[in-house]
Amino acid sequence: MSTTVLFAARDTRWDIYEPLLRAALDERGLDYRLGTDFEPQEVDYIVYAPDSHLQDFTPYTKLKAVLNLWAGVEGITGNQTLRAPLARMVDDQGLTQGMVEWVTGHVLRHHLGMDSHILNPDHAWSPNAPPLAPERPVTILGLGALGIACGQALAQLGFDVTGWSRTAKSVEGLRCLNGPEGLSDALTGAQIVVLLLPDTPHTQNILDAAAMAKLETGAAVINPGRGPLIDDEALLAALDSGQISHATLDVFRIEPLPEDHPFWAHPGITVTPHIASETRPATAAQVVADNIARGENGAPFLHLVDRAAGY
Ligand code: NDP
């Protein structure tokens, strides 16, 4: 009997995803029905994004899994109507590759002091070479799919990288710390800090005034994780005092960032509009089809969300 796959992400993406998902499901030899409109009780899998109109999963009585197209799941983990397994997007070739490029680029911008040459209205000749990467301590908060890949890319460039996670980890090339007791050590003396944590009750405001005070004076903050990870008021105060020299922010508590938000006008803040990395349909379709094939073949799903932990 064929398996029924409902696509319930934003309607505008259906045209892009439909041929890619069909090709990926065909490649795996699956007998399936794929569409945007089925009777709920017929649906086996839902390809999902939290911006979907679908918020009540109760009628989906035989659901085997929800396959989220996004890495972040804070918009769905708390949904009590969802009882089926929830998988999130982990895609080395697409989402992860994009994040590595964005993080590396912004770390190098601060490391090399590029702004002082790009923005040099007085044509000052200031021949101050930057330090080498091994002299630049970089801390990555979050050692998941994205944090590890970014940390290792930076380590390969020679940076002195520390990573921090909830559970203990061992990652080649990185100094790994974990848990509340490891946080202070991870932050102390860091010159660049990159936030790649999920948004959960335990991570909100993790970069508050006390945390920023532990960084090296003049440190740079780079946040492609989620807006609530940073205490916004504390960040503005730390920028104004010079404790933080610059913040590059891709994610915000309210998106789009309101026109009158002080972040837009602050000279020490670079705003990018949640583009650090996005799900790439061609490779994401393969990830989704892989998980459907696993479900149909009785194999455990990949990239499952721990709903209790919130990520
Ligand atoms: P993962 O779930 O793979 O990794 C999350 C990491 O955070 C893990 O290392 C986890 O620890 C750690 N963590 C979670 N809670 C805590 C805590 N309380 N204390 C310490 N560490 C904690 O996620 P990804 O790497 O795939 O993605 C990270 C985030 O990046 C996403 O949740 C999303 O918010 C954001 N994102 C942003 C994008 C953008 O364009 N701006 C694009 C894609 C993602 P442990 O390893 O012990 O479980």
Side-chain angles (χ1 to χ4, degrees), residues 180-204:
E181 60 291 347
L183 181 60
S184 175
D185 198 2
L187 294 171
T188 301
Q191 293 181 8
I192 298 177
V193 61
V194 181
L195 290 96
L196 275 168
L197 293 162
D199 175 5
T200 76
H202 301 287
T203 60
Q204 288 175 4

PDB file of all heavy atoms in Angstrom, residues 180-204:
ATOM      1  N   PRO A 180      26.496  24.151  32.614  1.00  0.00           N
ATOM      2  CA  PRO A 180      26.598  25.476  33.231  1.00  0.00           C
ATOM      3  C   PRO A 180      28.001  25.742  33.787  1.00  0.00           C
ATOM      4  O   PRO A 180      28.521  26.856  33.701  1.00  0.00           O
ATOM      5  CB  PRO A 180      25.565  25.414  34.358  1.00  0.00           C
ATOM      6  CG  PRO A 180      24.602  24.353  33.949  1.00  0.00           C
ATOM      7  CD  PRO A 180      25.378  23.364  33.123  1.00  0.00           C
ATOM      8  N   GLU A 181      28.664  24.692  34.308  1.00  0.00           N
ATOM      9  CA  GLU A 181      29.990  24.872  34.912  1.00  0.00           C
ATOM     10  C   GLU A 181      31.060  25.173  33.860  1.00  0.00           C
ATOM     11  O   GLU A 181      32.075  25.808  34.176  1.00  0.00           O
ATOM     12  CB  GLU A 181      30.374  23.650  35.773  1.00  0.00           C
ATOM     13  CG  GLU A 181      30.452  22.294  35.071  1.00  0.00           C
ATOM     14  CD  GLU A 181      29.119  21.708  34.591  1.00  0.00           C
ATOM     15  OE1 GLU A 181      28.041  22.203  34.987  1.00  0.00           O
ATOM     16  OE2 GLU A 181      29.173  20.757  33.793  1.00  0.00           O
ATOM     17  N   GLY A 182      30.813  24.754  32.605  1.00  0.00           N
ATOM     18  CA  GLY A 182      31.807  25.011  31.552  1.00  0.00           C
ATOM     19  C   GLY A 182      31.626  26.352  30.863  1.00  0.00           C
ATOM     20  O   GLY A 182      32.513  26.817  30.132  1.00  0.00           O
ATOM     21  N   LEU A 183      30.481  26.992  31.093  1.00  0.00           N
ATOM     22  CA  LEU A 183      30.166  28.204  30.325  1.00  0.00           C
ATOM     23  C   LEU A 183      31.126  29.343  30.630  1.00  0.00           C
ATOM     24  O   LEU A 183      31.627  30.018  29.726  1.00  0.00           O
ATOM     25  CB  LEU A 183      28.714  28.635  30.593  1.00  0.00           C
ATOM     26  CG  LEU A 183      28.249  29.875  29.832  1.00  0.00           C
ATOM     27  CD1 LEU A 183      28.345  29.673  28.321  1.00  0.00           C
ATOM     28  CD2 LEU A 183      26.810  30.236  30.218  1.00  0.00           C
ATOM     29  N   SER A 184      31.391  29.539  31.920  1.00  0.00           N
ATOM     30  CA  SER A 184      32.253  30.645  32.310  1.00  0.00           C
ATOM     31  C   SER A 184      33.641  30.497  31.668  1.00  0.00           C
ATOM     32  O   SER A 184      34.200  31.453  31.113  1.00  0.00           O
ATOM     33  CB  SER A 184      32.359  30.668  33.838  1.00  0.00           C
ATOM     34  OG  SER A 184      33.268  31.640  34.234  1.00  0.00           O
ATOM     35  N   ASP A 185      34.152  29.283  31.702  1.00  0.00           N
ATOM     36  CA  ASP A 185      35.458  29.001  31.114  1.00  0.00           C
ATOM     37  C   ASP A 185      35.427  29.248  29.596  1.00  0.00           C
ATOM     38  O   ASP A 185      36.379  29.795  29.009  1.00  0.00           O
ATOM     39  CB  ASP A 185      35.803  27.531  31.425  1.00  0.00           C
ATOM     40  CG  ASP A 185      37.270  27.237  31.267  1.00  0.00           C
ATOM     41  OD1 ASP A 185      38.028  28.179  30.946  1.00  0.00           O
ATOM     42  OD2 ASP A 185      37.665  26.067  31.437  1.00  0.00           O
ATOM     43  N   ALA A 186      34.313  28.845  28.980  1.00  0.00           N
ATOM     44  CA  ALA A 186      34.205  29.000  27.519  1.00  0.00           C
ATOM     45  C   ALA A 186      34.190  30.471  27.112  1.00  0.00           C
ATOM     46  O   ALA A 186      34.711  30.842  26.056  1.00  0.00           O
ATOM     47  CB  ALA A 186      32.937  28.306  27.014  1.00  0.00           C
ATOM     48  N   LEU A 187      33.607  31.300  27.962  1.00  0.00           N
ATOM     49  CA  LEU A 187      33.481  32.715  27.604  1.00  0.00           C
ATOM     50  C   LEU A 187      34.712  33.534  27.992  1.00  0.00           C
ATOM     51  O   LEU A 187      35.036  34.528  27.331  1.00  0.00           O
ATOM     52  CB  LEU A 187      32.255  33.319  28.312  1.00  0.00           C
ATOM     53  CG  LEU A 187      30.884  32.768  27.881  1.00  0.00           C
ATOM     54  CD1 LEU A 187      29.801  33.285  28.812  1.00  0.00           C
ATOM     55  CD2 LEU A 187      30.578  33.151  26.435  1.00  0.00           C
ATOM     56  N   THR A 188      35.378  33.124  29.054  1.00  0.00           N
ATOM     57  CA  THR A 188      36.459  33.943  29.601  1.00  0.00           C
ATOM     58  C   THR A 188      37.578  34.148  28.577  1.00  0.00           C
ATOM     59  O   THR A 188      38.176  33.185  28.097  1.00  0.00           O
ATOM     60  CB  THR A 188      37.007  33.309  30.897  1.00  0.00           C
ATOM     61  OG1 THR A 188      35.926  33.222  31.824  1.00  0.00           O
ATOM     62  CG2 THR A 188      38.123  34.152  31.504  1.00  0.00           C
ATOM     63  N   GLY A 189      37.797  35.395  28.232  1.00  0.00           N
ATOM     64  CA  GLY A 189      38.896  35.742  27.335  1.00  0.00           C
ATOM     65  C   GLY A 189      38.599  35.552  25.864  1.00  0.00           C
ATOM     66  O   GLY A 189      39.455  35.841  25.018  1.00  0.00           O
ATOM     67  N   ALA A 190      37.394  35.093  25.536  1.00  0.00           N
ATOM     68  CA  ALA A 190      37.091  34.905  24.098  1.00  0.00           C
ATOM     69  C   ALA A 190      37.063  36.265  23.405  1.00  0.00           C
ATOM     70  O   ALA A 190      36.547  37.239  23.932  1.00  0.00           O
ATOM     71  CB  ALA A 190      35.754  34.191  23.931  1.00  0.00           C
ATOM     72  N   GLN A 191      37.622  36.314  22.196  1.00  0.00           N
ATOM     73  CA  GLN A 191      37.637  37.572  21.438  1.00  0.00           C
ATOM     74  C   GLN A 191      36.528  37.618  20.392  1.00  0.00           C
ATOM     75  O   GLN A 191      36.149  38.679  19.924  1.00  0.00           O
ATOM     76  CB  GLN A 191      39.002  37.769  20.781  1.00  0.00           C
ATOM     77  CG  GLN A 191      40.095  37.988  21.820  1.00  0.00           C
ATOM     78  CD  GLN A 191      41.458  38.220  21.210  1.00  0.00           C
ATOM     79  OE1 GLN A 191      41.607  38.367  19.998  1.00  0.00           O
ATOM     80  NE2 GLN A 191      42.475  38.252  22.047  1.00  0.00           N
ATOM     81  N   ILE A 192      36.067  36.431  19.999  1.00  0.00           N
ATOM     82  CA  ILE A 192      34.913  36.351  19.092  1.00  0.00           C
ATOM     83  C   ILE A 192      34.033  35.233  19.638  1.00  0.00           C
ATOM     84  O   ILE A 192      34.532  34.136  19.936  1.00  0.00           O
ATOM     85  CB  ILE A 192      35.350  36.030  17.649  1.00  0.00           C
ATOM     86  CG1 ILE A 192      36.262  37.136  17.099  1.00  0.00           C
ATOM     87  CG2 ILE A 192      34.124  35.856  16.746  1.00  0.00           C
ATOM     88  CD1 ILE A 192      36.807  36.885  15.696  1.00  0.00           C
ATOM     89  N   VAL A 193      32.744  35.519  19.799  1.00  0.00           N
ATOM     90  CA  VAL A 193      31.827  34.473  20.263  1.00  0.00           C
ATOM     91  C   VAL A 193      30.711  34.321  19.236  1.00  0.00           C
ATOM     92  O   VAL A 193      30.142  35.305  18.768  1.00  0.00           O
ATOM     93  CB  VAL A 193      31.314  34.744  21.692  1.00  0.00           C
ATOM     94  CG1 VAL A 193      30.555  36.042  21.788  1.00  0.00           C
ATOM     95  CG2 VAL A 193      30.433  33.609  22.180  1.00  0.00           C
ATOM     96  N   VAL A 194      30.458  33.065  18.873  1.00  0.00           N
ATOM     97  CA  VAL A 194      29.444  32.735  17.867  1.00  0.00           C
ATOM     98  C   VAL A 194      28.347  31.928  18.553  1.00  0.00           C
ATOM     99  O   VAL A 194      28.639  30.925  19.219  1.00  0.00           O
ATOM    100  CB  VAL A 194      30.053  31.883  16.727  1.00  0.00           C
ATOM    101  CG1 VAL A 194      29.003  31.551  15.673  1.00  0.00           C
ATOM    102  CG2 VAL A 194      31.252  32.591  16.099  1.00  0.00           C
ATOM    103  N   LEU A 195      27.097  32.361  18.397  1.00  0.00           N
ATOM    104  CA  LEU A 195      25.998  31.656  19.060  1.00  0.00           C
ATOM    105  C   LEU A 195      25.279  30.742  18.075  1.00  0.00           C
ATOM    106  O   LEU A 195      24.667  31.213  17.118  1.00  0.00           O
ATOM    107  CB  LEU A 195      25.003  32.659  19.649  1.00  0.00           C
ATOM    108  CG  LEU A 195      25.554  33.434  20.851  1.00  0.00           C
ATOM    109  CD1 LEU A 195      26.097  34.770  20.406  1.00  0.00           C
ATOM    110  CD2 LEU A 195      24.500  33.626  21.916  1.00  0.00           C
ATOM    111  N   LEU A 196      25.373  29.452  18.316  1.00  0.00           N
ATOM    112  CA  LEU A 196      24.669  28.470  17.481  1.00  0.00           C
ATOM    113  C   LEU A 196      23.898  27.496  18.362  1.00  0.00           C
ATOM    114  O   LEU A 196      23.979  26.272  18.203  1.00  0.00           O
ATOM    115  CB  LEU A 196      25.646  27.752  16.553  1.00  0.00           C
ATOM    116  CG  LEU A 196      25.921  28.528  15.258  1.00  0.00           C
ATOM    117  CD1 LEU A 196      27.090  27.953  14.483  1.00  0.00           C
ATOM    118  CD2 LEU A 196      24.671  28.581  14.357  1.00  0.00           C
ATOM    119  N   LEU A 197      23.167  28.092  19.303  1.00  0.00           N
ATOM    120  CA  LEU A 197      22.309  27.323  20.205  1.00  0.00           C
ATOM    121  C   LEU A 197      20.872  27.389  19.709  1.00  0.00           C
ATOM    122  O   LEU A 197      20.482  28.356  19.049  1.00  0.00           O
ATOM    123  CB  LEU A 197      22.358  27.938  21.611  1.00  0.00           C
ATOM    124  CG  LEU A 197      23.688  27.846  22.359  1.00  0.00           C
ATOM    125  CD1 LEU A 197      23.719  28.858  23.489  1.00  0.00           C
ATOM    126  CD2 LEU A 197      23.905  26.428  22.874  1.00  0.00           C
ATOM    127  N   PRO A 198      20.051  26.410  20.101  1.00  0.00           N
ATOM    128  CA  PRO A 198      18.615  26.531  19.815  1.00  0.00           C
ATOM    129  C   PRO A 198      17.960  27.458  20.843  1.00  0.00           C
ATOM    130  O   PRO A 198      18.541  27.716  21.904  1.00  0.00           O
ATOM    131  CB  PRO A 198      18.116  25.096  19.982  1.00  0.00           C
ATOM    132  CG  PRO A 198      19.048  24.497  20.988  1.00  0.00           C
ATOM    133  CD  PRO A 198      20.392  25.161  20.797  1.00  0.00           C
ATOM    134  N   ASP A 199      16.772  27.907  20.528  1.00  0.00           N
ATOM    135  CA  ASP A 199      16.002  28.744  21.449  1.00  0.00           C
ATOM    136  C   ASP A 199      15.184  27.830  22.359  1.00  0.00           C
ATOM    137  O   ASP A 199      14.205  27.223  21.910  1.00  0.00           O
ATOM    138  CB  ASP A 199      15.081  29.661  20.620  1.00  0.00           C
ATOM    139  CG  ASP A 199      14.151  30.485  21.490  1.00  0.00           C
ATOM    140  OD1 ASP A 199      14.271  30.439  22.727  1.00  0.00           O
ATOM    141  OD2 ASP A 199      13.290  31.182  20.905  1.00  0.00           O
ATOM    142  N   THR A 200      15.617  27.698  23.602  1.00  0.00           N
ATOM    143  CA  THR A 200      14.877  26.897  24.592  1.00  0.00           C
ATOM    144  C   THR A 200      14.811  27.719  25.881  1.00  0.00           C
ATOM    145  O   THR A 200      15.538  28.710  26.029  1.00  0.00           O
ATOM    146  CB  THR A 200      15.584  25.557  24.911  1.00  0.00           C
ATOM    147  OG1 THR A 200      16.709  25.814  25.763  1.00  0.00           O
ATOM    148  CG2 THR A 200      16.045  24.824  23.659  1.00  0.00           C
ATOM    149  N   PRO A 201      13.993  27.284  26.838  1.00  0.00           N
ATOM    150  CA  PRO A 201      13.952  28.035  28.108  1.00  0.00           C
ATOM    151  C   PRO A 201      15.321  28.121  28.784  1.00  0.00           C
ATOM    152  O   PRO A 201      15.585  29.044  29.553  1.00  0.00           O
ATOM    153  CB  PRO A 201      12.962  27.230  28.957  1.00  0.00           C
ATOM    154  CG  PRO A 201      12.103  26.512  27.955  1.00  0.00           C
ATOM    155  CD  PRO A 201      12.995  26.222  26.783  1.00  0.00           C
ATOM    156  N   HIS A 202      16.210  27.172  28.493  1.00  0.00           N
ATOM    157  CA  HIS A 202      17.532  27.166  29.148  1.00  0.00           C
ATOM    158  C   HIS A 202      18.566  28.029  28.433  1.00  0.00           C
ATOM    159  O   HIS A 202      19.630  28.307  28.994  1.00  0.00           O
ATOM    160  CB  HIS A 202      18.058  25.732  29.243  1.00  0.00           C
ATOM    161  CG  HIS A 202      17.152  24.832  30.005  1.00  0.00           C
ATOM    162  ND1 HIS A 202      17.017  24.894  31.365  1.00  0.00           N
ATOM    163  CD2 HIS A 202      16.301  23.872  29.577  1.00  0.00           C
ATOM    164  CE1 HIS A 202      16.120  24.001  31.758  1.00  0.00           C
ATOM    165  NE2 HIS A 202      15.671  23.376  30.684  1.00  0.00           N
ATOM    166  N   THR A 203      18.285  28.387  27.202  1.00  0.00           N
ATOM    167  CA  THR A 203      19.306  29.157  26.452  1.00  0.00           C
ATOM    168  C   THR A 203      18.940  30.634  26.294  1.00  0.00           C
ATOM    169  O   THR A 203      19.782  31.415  25.859  1.00  0.00           O
ATOM    170  CB  THR A 203      19.514  28.552  25.038  1.00  0.00           C
ATOM    171  OG1 THR A 203      18.268  28.615  24.337  1.00  0.00           O
ATOM    172  CG2 THR A 203      20.004  27.113  25.099  1.00  0.00           C
ATOM    173  N   GLN A 204      17.719  30.989  26.645  1.00  0.00           N
ATOM    174  CA  GLN A 204      17.315  32.387  26.454  1.00  0.00           C
ATOM    175  C   GLN A 204      18.149  33.302  27.348  1.00  0.00           C
ATOM    176  O   GLN A 204      18.409  32.983  28.509  1.00  0.00           O
ATOM    177  CB  GLN A 204      15.821  32.546  26.739  1.00  0.00           C
ATOM    178  CG  GLN A 204      15.011  31.910  25.617  1.00  0.00           C
ATOM    179  CD  GLN A 204      13.517  31.901  25.850  1.00  0.00           C
ATOM    180  OE1 GLN A 204      13.036  32.436  26.839  1.00  0.00           O
ATOM    181  NE2 GLN A 204      12.792  31.291  24.931  1.00  0.00           N
TER     182      GLN A 204
END
